[in-house]
Amino acid sequence: MLLELVLFLKNYKDKMEKLIITCAITGAEVTKEVNPAVPYTIEEMAQSAYEAYKAGASIIHLHARYDDGTPTQDKVRFKALADAILEKCPDVIVQVSTGGAVGMSRDERLDVLNISPEMATLDCGTLNFGGDDIFVNTENDIKYFAEKMNNLGVRYEMECFEKGHIDTTLRFIKKGIIQNHLHYSFVLGVRGGMTGEERDFLFLKESIPSSATFSVAGIGKYEFSLAELSIKHGGHVRVGLEDNIYLEKGILTKSNAELVEKVVKIAKKYGREIATPCETRKILEMEKNNGKTM
Ligand code: KMH
Ligand code: ZN
């Protein structure tokens, strides 16, 4: 009986991929007013990214902001930011946001591709973002973004906030518009999108191609419950101040690193080891992408 259990656990561990942790360090909407740890300046962001990387993050999901917190997709600001991060952690994967902030135009959002990022997001549908805000990603926008990234050899992660977004990707894969290794990010718990309940997570997980990899970003109260579910189901995890400002109910996190550390602890419980940036590139088949390896 004990031997069976040991063999089961070994088999489970062998089958489970190492865990990719993405840290979304700042976003475009969250402010220092709600949590002073939200980084704005280049120095603050580079330091926060470094601490998250030391704690176990192999991908930094990056939005650029000016020193007063205003979001921008300006390539000059993004380049300075990415360079500052890569100086402190040279092998980390910088994943730039092409989502930017609500209300930005298509071409404004795509300015960041001019810095030749290794990885970027591809937002796969429109969503209400609470109040009067709408995060617009029309079918033509998604096609336009994907084609630009295909041409530039930029690896993209498909951000899906609800099931219709996944269905769009499936159509685009068939048409050859989405071409790279299929890596999804389920962003759940946005006001206006799907909740982060287990039922919703399972629905999305079952809806993607079996060859695809996925990561889960739980917004607000869903951050750690979804992280745990994803870890259990062989998926990957995104945490960070962009998505959630609390370490636990009522307790603000002091840093992005604290959020990453908490995921590392959950991963240990399930025997999932943490992927280095090099291992992350292998899992996401990025060594075939863009000539960049390490
Ligand atoms: N800030 C949101 C409007 C992404 O990074 O690609 C969009 C967003 C998605 O955060
Ligand atoms: Zn983002």
Side-chain angles (χ1 to χ4, degrees), residues 86-132:
L86 289 170
E87 200 180 311
K88 278 186 178 287
C89 17
D91 62 337
V92 82
I93 298 164
V94 175
Q95 177 197 80
V96 300
S97 167
T98 65
V102 167
M104 287 178 174
S105 71
R106 228 191 229 188
D107 287 316
E108 187 179 3
R109 283 165 57 182
L110 285 180
D111 196 26
V112 65
L113 294 186
N114 289 310
I115 72 165
S116 304
E118 183 175 10
M119 192 177 191
T121 54
L122 175 66
D123 291 284
C124 295
T126 294
L127 197 78
N128 280 336
F129 254 42
D132 289 326

Side-chain angles (χ1 to χ4, degrees), residues 28-29 61 63 97-102 121 123 129 135 159 161 242:
E29 288 86 16
H61 170 77
H63 287 252
S97 167
T98 65
V102 167
T121 54
D123 291 284
F129 254 42
F135 181 36
E159 293 215 1
F161 297 75
E242 171 171 347

